[in-house]
Amino acid sequence: MGFPIIRPRRLRRTSALRNLICETRLNRSDLIYPIFIDERVQKPIPIESMPEYFRLPIRYVIKEVRQVIDLNIKALILFGIPSKKDEIGSQAFTTDGVIQRTVRVLKREFGDRIVIITDVCLCEYTNHGHCGVLKEGEVDNDSTLEILQKVAVSQAQAGADIVAPSAMMDGQVKAIREALDDSGFIHTGIMAYSAKYASSFYGPFREAAESKPEFGNRKSYQMGYENSNEALREVELDISEGADIVIIKPALPYLDLIHRVKEKFKVPVAAYNVSGEYAMVKAAAQKGWIDEKSAILEILTSIKRAGANLIITYFAKDAGQWLD
Ligand code: PBG
C-alpha cells in the first residue's frame, strides 16, 4: 500500500466547515475611521484622489460620526485643515483651532461612546508643509518638540482620548508624555506613529490635507523602506518613552513589520492602511478590474492576520456595512 494522500481539502469542502476553521475574524471594533475636517469649506468636498471620501466642515461632523457609531465603529482619528498656515503651524495648537473645536463638539454630543484620536503633526498647518519647524532650511528636531507638546496638550484640553504623534521627531513621545502629565492629563493616551516610512502611498492624503512639502521630501525624518531593524528600534524607543499603542505605517508593504513588532512587544499594535492603499483599490474597482468588497475584506483581514490589533482605514465604513 502506498502512502495515503493527506487531504487538507477535507476542511474546505463546505462553507460551514471553512467557517469552523477560520483563524482570523475581522471585527468592527478593530477599525479606526479617519475624518478630514476643513475649516474653509461650507459643504463636504470630494477628495479627487480618494474616491467616495470627503473633507467635511465642522458642522457636518456630528452627522458623519452618528453614522459611524450606528455601524458599531467606535474609534476615530481626526485630521484638520486650517484656514491659515504659518511658519510654525500655530493653528495646530490654538484653543479655537479646527481640531480643538471639532473635538469639543464631538465630546459634547457623544461623550465616551466613541474614542477620539487626534493626529499630532504640523504638516497640515505649516506654510512649507514639513512636519516640523525649519532652521536653516532643515527640519529642527528639538524646537519642533516644544510645539508638538503644545499641540498635544491643546487637543487633550479639548477632550481627545488619545493623541497620535506623527511627526517622526526623536523624543516626541517622551516630550508629549511629560507635557500631558504636567498639565494633569495623565489619562490621555499616546498612540505613536513609531514606524512611519517615507512612502509614496501618502500621495492622496497630501492632496486631501494640502500637506505636500513645498521643497524636498520627508526622508530626513521618516524611515527608508529598505529597513526593518530600524523600525524595531523606533518602536522600542517609543514604548520606553511612554507610548501606549504603536503604529506601523503604511500597512500592506510592511506586513512583515506588523508581524515582527507584534511578536516582540506586548503592546497593542495598530496598522495604518493609508490613502494610497485605499486609492488603488477604489480606482481598480471603478474600472471593474477587481471586486471591491472581497478585495477590501481580504486586505483588512490580512493586516489583522499579520498581527495588527487595530487598523486605521478609510475602508472602515465600507467594512462596517459588510461585517456581521
Ligand atoms: C501627517 C500624516 C500623514 C499621513 C497621516 N498623518 C502624511 C505624511 O506624512 O505626509 C498619511 C496618511 C495617509 O496617507 O493615509 N504627518
Side-chain angles (χ1 to χ4, degrees), residues 78-80 86 88-95 97-100 103 117-126 131-133 143-160 162-167 172 175-176 179-180 183 185 188:
L78 306 179
F79 297 97
D86 60 23
I88 63 162
S90 46
Q91 287 298 309
F93 57 84
T94 53
T95 324
V98 55
I99 288 298
Q100 290 76 3
V103 172
I117 306 169
T118 47
D119 192 67
V120 180
C121 197
L122 301 183
C123 60
E124 299 107 285
Y125 301 89
T126 52
C131 303
V133 293
S143 48
T144 300
L145 294 182
E146 290 167 30
I147 297 182
L148 296 178
Q149 288 178 315
K150 290 189 202 171
V151 176
V153 169
S154 71
Q155 294 172 344
Q157 247 152 11
I162 296 177
V163 296
S166 118
Q172 63 181 10
I176 288 171
L180 289 172
S183 309
F185 296 108
T188 307

Side-chain angles (χ1 to χ4, degrees), residues 47-54 278-279 282-283 286:
I47 302 164
E48 211 182 317
S49 54
M50 298 179 69
E52 296 155 43
Y53 232 80
F54 296 84
Y278 173 86
K282 288 284 175 182
Q286 283 182 349

Side-chain angles (χ1 to χ4, degrees), residues 224-250:
Y225 54 73
E226 302 86 349
N227 294 358
S228 58
N229 284 332
E230 188 184 350
L232 295 186
R233 176 157 165 72
E234 285 280 9
V235 168
E236 188 169 33
L237 283 169
D238 280 1
I239 294 172
S240 72
E241 291 179 20
D244 301 294
I245 302 172
V246 296
I247 306 179
I248 314 294
K249 176 179 170 193

